[in-house]
Amino acid sequence: MIGIVIVSHSAALAEAAVQLAHQMVQGDRPQIVTAAGAGSDADGAPILGTDATRVAAAVDELAADGAEGVLLLMDLGSAVLSSELALELRSSDVPVRLAAAPFVEGLLAATVAAAGGASLDAVAAEASSALAAKASQLGDAEAPAEAPASTDEDAIVRRVTLRNRLGIHARPASVIAGIVGPADAQVTARRLPHGVPVQAGSMTGLLSLGAAGGDEVEFRASGPEAASVLDAIDGLVADGFGEDDAGPRPAAEAAVVTDVGPASVADGLLHGRGVSGGLAAAPVVRLGAPVPEPEAGAPLDAGARETEAARIGPAASAVADGLRSRARLAAGEAAAILEATALIALDPELASTAETSVRERGLDAARAVWEAAAGYEQLLASLGGRMAERASDIRDVRDRIVATLQGLEPPGIPQRDDPFVLVARDLAPADTVTLSGSGCVALVTELGGPTSHTAIIARALGLPAVVGAAGATGLAESSVVVVDGSAGTIDPHPDAAELERARARVEVVAFDGAGVTADGIRIPLLANVGSAADAEAGAAAHAEGVGLFRTEFCFLDRRTAPGVDEQEQAYAAVIAPFDGRKVVVRTLDAGADKPLPFANDDEEENPALGVRGLRVARRNPALLDDQLAALARATTASAAEIQVMAPMVATVDEARSFAERCRAAGLPTVGVMIETPSAALLAAEILDVVDFVSLGTNDLTQYTMAADRLLSELGELGDTWQPAVLRLIGVVGAAGAKAGKAVGVCGEAGGDPELAPVLVGLGATSLSMSPRALGPVAARLARLTLADCRRAAEAAAASETAAAARAAAAAVLADAEAASRGRLRVRPGGDTGVA
Ligand code: PEP
Ligand code: MG
């Protein structure tokens, strides 16, 4: 067993901490030796301090008693120095680790882990992450240690409802970890419905669940002792962990324990949120295995350190080169994300911090990179907010460099010749962008929201995708499943007929280049683009123009603002494939889910409600002026019909002043996006001062429903079918019709063949979407008249709920399509004249 040395300035503090730790463990305990205080003064009062020789003696004592390794836990300041010195002074050669851990929590976690028979590295890791539970409970940025997704299709899954008031607090956590640790079973636990899984052998992990009385927790176990471990946990839970405040013991028939079998499939289907439509059938493939943390072995000989340090730079460059060559094959946002990740790999600080650890501490290169990345991660996590979210990019780069140094397969999307459904807990940006050409035909993730990068990229690639599908990682590897990206379901046991239906639906629906209803009303169908490659794909798919050019996507990786010349070139490349056609360019939409450090680097409490979009121009007018100047030049140089619009407008004054500035810059056709409820309600007045509006339904839904568009948990609120959103769209449509001005839709709703007719019925005069959606949307509109669309819109907007709105529109449209069968299609000619 691993022994523990407590190094503290105060003997009293050390003793109290040890007492607390002992209470956490029932059976065999690890040996804990204290090296605390610096003796006592002449009056017998204790002197606070630490002494390296006592620490060394404590290590030797544990070694002599047969400890397999020794963990040093220190309180503060000179305790750390004394411990480092003790490593030189000790006479034994037992492996020793110094834990950068919180003193009390670290000791408790280490004691439980050591009692469970964990290795020195595992005990040290447990201690080091011991603050995560408290941090996550207090809502700090630090994330709980997340367990890798179980890959065992025979895993037993059980759900329990906690009966004691405090749920899994320190003592129950230590008891569960004490059962799981020594058992021959791999067990994870997660709080339902949306918690992330943690190792159930980790006291810290269990505490980070934050599970209280009444909460439901899912345990997933595999291995020879899986069943007996789960039985033991069931018994503890049913007993309320022996705590007096536990509710009445459940009757046998109303057991708190639900055995849900190998995967959480309620009605035979797994449910999530469909974020990219379509059906696909293929075998399940899970995301590449995570890269394990490299061991911190014995220090390298002084003579070997320089050579080892010299491996880091080339490995980082190789990773950056790989990311960049994939960026060249990718398009739009995908390419931008890969480029940005490559920049992290090339960060000179990361490499030099790691090299210093090799030279000064004798770490091997892989371990040094791992630790250097951890330092950056912590720094970002401590900054909180959006910066904290970049921590996953650092981990992604770290894993790739470590894999390169160790000659391992890089983590991420497997490349297969045969089609497959990719299943993952979540996808890193660098994962999603390698999907193209990988053989992946559908995506399923346990996390993610409807407008997360996973969803946007899935739509751009035309892959059916379901996010927020709890339990998906329990799907058996290689089993054939059917993914329905429209319904948001995964069928793990499809029958032959369903497989046939899915395979028949995989073919791409072509677009002939003219959006038109059955009665000949022209509804131009346009492309959403963010790069020259996107624009080429849009033109190749016969888009009638560009309805949304997200200019910020050209500069996502920039720390400094691009100059006018650079902007002009970037815009000209995107506009070029649409010579002679309409291109609606949106000015920079910096902020919230699209951070641009050069536009707004502030840490904001509510970035979605902060200085984003057009609001950036309040504090930095030159940024907007430069962009307008670049666009004016690109307009002069191009044969495209360029129109400009502003994002995140809330008032008529904002719209007026934007229009004035555009016109002064030489850009005559000006519009604004309708993304806020305020702008929707003021659409008539706004249309008095601009030439057109475009509905950003992603944000309009987010702001109307007050539901973060990135949160899958709030998925049913972030649904454009919500009647409140439809009614606001109707207000805008009516204002456009009255003013005789164009009302476009450029949010994701515009590319949804179910919703598109409703949007047209509400007054949309053009729809803009990812190029792959053009064919299905065109085919739908071609079967319906404008009157059909209006009836569907009326029925949907009059509904009480999103589900009722969907059903009401579907019923009207199905009747209309049935009636229209056999009717001759009217040729284009009834152009509304406002597209
Ligand atoms: C929208 O909000 O609907 C929109 C098109 O803008 P973005 O998704 O870029 O915020
Ligand atoms: Mg928006």
Side-chain angles (χ1 to χ4, degrees):
M1 204 182 278
I2 301 304
I4 299 171
V5 174
I6 293 290
V7 186
S8 170
H9 284 68
S10 154
L13 174 63
E15 286 310 325
V18 173
Q19 213 177 38
L20 199 56
H22 278 163
Q23 285 182 14
M24 294 294 142
V25 182
Q26 244 92 100
D28 282 353
R29 290 175 181 153
Q31 223 183 321
I32 306 176
V33 179
T34 60
S40 34
D41 64 16
D43 302 328
I47 302 173
L48 296 182
T50 59
D51 175 352
T53 54
R54 290 181 62 188
V55 180
V59 171
D60 291 337
E61 179 187 332
L62 286 170
D65 286 348
E68 293 159 25
V70 176
L71 185 75
L72 296 190
L73 280 159
M74 304 134 287
D75 59 4
L76 60 157
S78 66
V80 180
L81 295 177
S82 298
S83 299
E84 284 176 336
L85 187 54
L87 296 187
E88 313 288 326
L89 302 178
R90 69 188 172 129
S91 50
S92 59
D93 58 2
V94 63
V96 177
R97 289 278 303 267
L98 274 61
F103 189 64
V104 177
E105 289 91 341
L107 175 61
L108 266 52
T111 304
V112 173
S119 67
L120 179 56
D121 281 346
V123 173
E126 213 17 40
S128 301
S129 59
L131 214 48
K134 195 191 276 178
S136 78
Q137 271 163 33
L138 293 177
D140 282 2
E142 197 161 339
E146 197 177 312
S150 162
T151 53
D152 187 346
E153 61 192 78
D154 296 325
I156 308 172
V157 181
R158 284 198 201 163
R159 291 174 177 176
V160 297
T161 304
L162 302 175
R163 297 179 55 237
N164 59 321
R165 190 172 61 82
L166 293 176
I168 303 183
H169 61 98
R171 204 189 51 79
S174 70
V175 176
I176 297 174
I179 292 171
V180 174
D184 191 359
Q186 294 73 49
V187 188
T188 59
R190 74 183 181 99
R191 180 151 70 99
L192 297 173
H194 298 296
V196 298
V198 298
Q199 299 289 1
S202 157
M203 179 181 169
T204 308
L206 289 167
L207 285 172
S208 73
L209 296 176
D215 282 347
E216 215 188 345
V217 176
E218 180 185 271
F219 288 91
R220 183 183 290 262
S222 57
E225 292 180 341
S228 58
V229 167
L230 290 182
D231 287 347
I233 294 173
D234 294 347
L236 287 165
V237 172
D239 193 33
F241 297 102
E243 289 171 11
D244 293 341
D245 60 5
R249 221 186 146 79
E253 60 279 15
V256 284
V257 177
T258 326
D259 211 331
V260 294
S264 91
V265 274
D267 53 1
L269 299 178
L270 270 181
H271 292 266
R273 184 165 175 78
V275 292
S276 177
L279 272 184
V284 166
V285 168
R286 291 206 191 77
L287 200 62
V291 171
E293 178 176 350
E295 297 266 326
L300 297 172
D301 289 343
R305 295 185 182 183
E306 205 46 53
T307 320
E308 185 69 2
R311 295 175 61 219
I312 293 171
S317 300
V319 167
D321 289 349
L323 289 166
R324 284 203 161 133
S325 53
R326 281 177 15 218
R328 282 192 287 279
L329 297 175
E333 191 187 8
I337 291 169
L338 280 170
E339 286 287 354
T341 313
L343 281 181
I344 298 176
L346 287 179
D347 186 325
E349 284 291 309
L350 182 68
S352 76
T353 308
E355 285 161 2
T356 305
S357 299
V358 176
R359 290 192 187 102
E360 293 181 1
R361 294 167 53 209
L363 296 183
D364 73 16
R367 178 75 200 178
V369 168
W370 190 276
E371 291 191 7
Y376 279 90
E377 226 189 286
Q378 270 164 21
L379 183 72
L380 290 178
S382 68
L383 296 174
R386 299 281 151 184
M387 292 308 287
E389 288 170 19
R390 304 298 297 176
S392 70
D393 298 353
I394 303 268
R395 283 196 293 274
D396 184 44
V397 165
R398 171 199 73 190
D399 290 351
R400 287 171 195 280
I401 300 177
V402 167
T404 306
L405 285 164
Q406 296 184 329
L408 300 173
E409 269 300 304
I413 310 285
Q415 302 290 312
R416 302 277 163 104
D417 292 335
D418 295 327
F420 65 90
V421 170
L422 183 71
V423 175
R425 243 178 59 68
D426 196 12
L427 294 172
D431 290 330
T432 31
V433 293
T434 56
L435 281 169
S436 176
S438 68
C440 175
V441 294
L443 278 177
V444 177
T445 61
E446 290 192 335
L447 303 182
T451 45
S452 58
H453 59 257
T454 303
I456 289 177
I457 287 174
R459 281 191 289 266
L461 295 174
L463 297 175
V466 179
V467 301
T473 53
L475 288 167
E477 181 92 15
S478 304
S479 62
V480 174
V481 298
V482 167
V483 179
D484 186 334
S486 308
T489 57
I490 301 106
D491 188 343
H493 306 294
D495 57 24
E498 199 186 348
L499 284 174
E500 192 43 47
R501 198 167 64 89
R503 287 183 175 133
R505 285 278 297 274
V506 174
E507 95 271 9
V508 173
V509 183
F511 175 47
D512 66 5
V516 57
T517 61
D519 54 341
I521 305 296
R522 289 278 286 112
I523 306 291
L525 301 184
L526 313 164
N528 287 352
V529 304
S531 68
D534 278 0
E536 275 152 27
H542 307 295
E544 297 182 61
V546 169
L548 170 63
F549 168 16
R550 291 177 161 110
T551 53
E552 65 281 358
F553 278 19
C554 299
F555 308 112
L556 284 177
D557 59 344
R558 293 292 301 260
R559 306 232 124 242
T560 53
V564 176
D565 290 348
E566 185 184 348
Q567 289 192 55
E568 181 193 348
Q569 276 175 24
Y571 303 150
V574 178
I575 293 164
F578 285 92
D579 259 3
R581 283 176 276 175
K582 175 170 99 168
V583 176
V584 182
V585 183
R586 174 173 77 185
T587 53
L588 294 172
D589 185 20
D593 55 313
K594 293 174 289 258
L596 285 186
F598 63 81
N600 176 10
D601 212 8
D602 284 3
E603 181 57 39
E604 296 179 330
E605 283 291 332
N606 286 306
L609 303 181
V611 182
R612 76 168 275 203
L614 182 62
R615 298 170 182 188
V616 171
R618 293 165 181 240
R619 60 164 72 152
N620 191 349
L623 199 58
L624 179 60
D625 289 339
D626 280 358
Q627 182 168 31
L628 296 181
L631 282 169
R633 284 203 216 158
T635 304
T636 313
S638 153
E641 185 206 325
I642 293 176
Q643 308 185 352
V644 183
M645 67 178 180
M648 193 67 180
V649 168
T651 68
V652 180
D653 280 346
E654 284 172 341
R656 184 183 293 113
S657 116
F658 178 71
E660 283 167 5
R661 288 168 78 164
C662 289
R663 290 182 184 128
L667 295 158
T669 311
V670 186
V672 296
M673 292 186 74
I674 304 290
E675 301 189 285
T676 60
S678 168
L681 293 169
L682 292 170
E685 288 82 353
I686 286 178
L687 278 165
D688 282 343
V689 298
V690 296
D691 305 304
F692 69 94
V693 292
S694 183
L695 283 148
T697 48
N698 305 336
D699 277 316
L700 184 60
T701 306
Q702 152 165 275
Y703 294 127
T704 303
M705 302 307 298
D708 187 335
R709 61 191 266 186
L710 300 178
L711 270 189
S712 66
E713 193 177 345
L714 301 180
E716 94 286 356
L717 291 176
D719 183 347
T720 304
W721 283 98
Q722 287 285 353
V725 182
L726 296 179
R727 290 179 204 181
L728 282 175
I729 294 172
V731 169
V732 181
K738 188 149 183 238
K741 293 188 177 178
V743 175
V745 174
C746 63
E748 295 302 313
D752 178 343
E754 309 301 318
L755 197 45
V758 172
L759 297 170
V760 170
L762 289 169
T765 57
S766 68
L767 302 171
S768 192
M769 61 202 76
S770 99
R772 284 169 194 260
L774 291 164
V777 170
R780 194 78 207 270
L781 292 180
R783 297 196 292 269
L784 299 162
T785 65
L786 182 58
D788 296 334
C789 295
R790 285 187 175 145
R791 275 203 314 282
E794 216 172 287
S799 302
E800 253 182 41
T801 65
R806 258 195 188 88
V812 171
L813 296 176
D815 281 354
E817 282 173 320
S820 84
R821 266 183 222 119
R823 188 166 68 202
L824 277 182
R825 183 178 157 184
V826 179
R827 295 304 311 157
D831 200 324
T832 57
V834 291

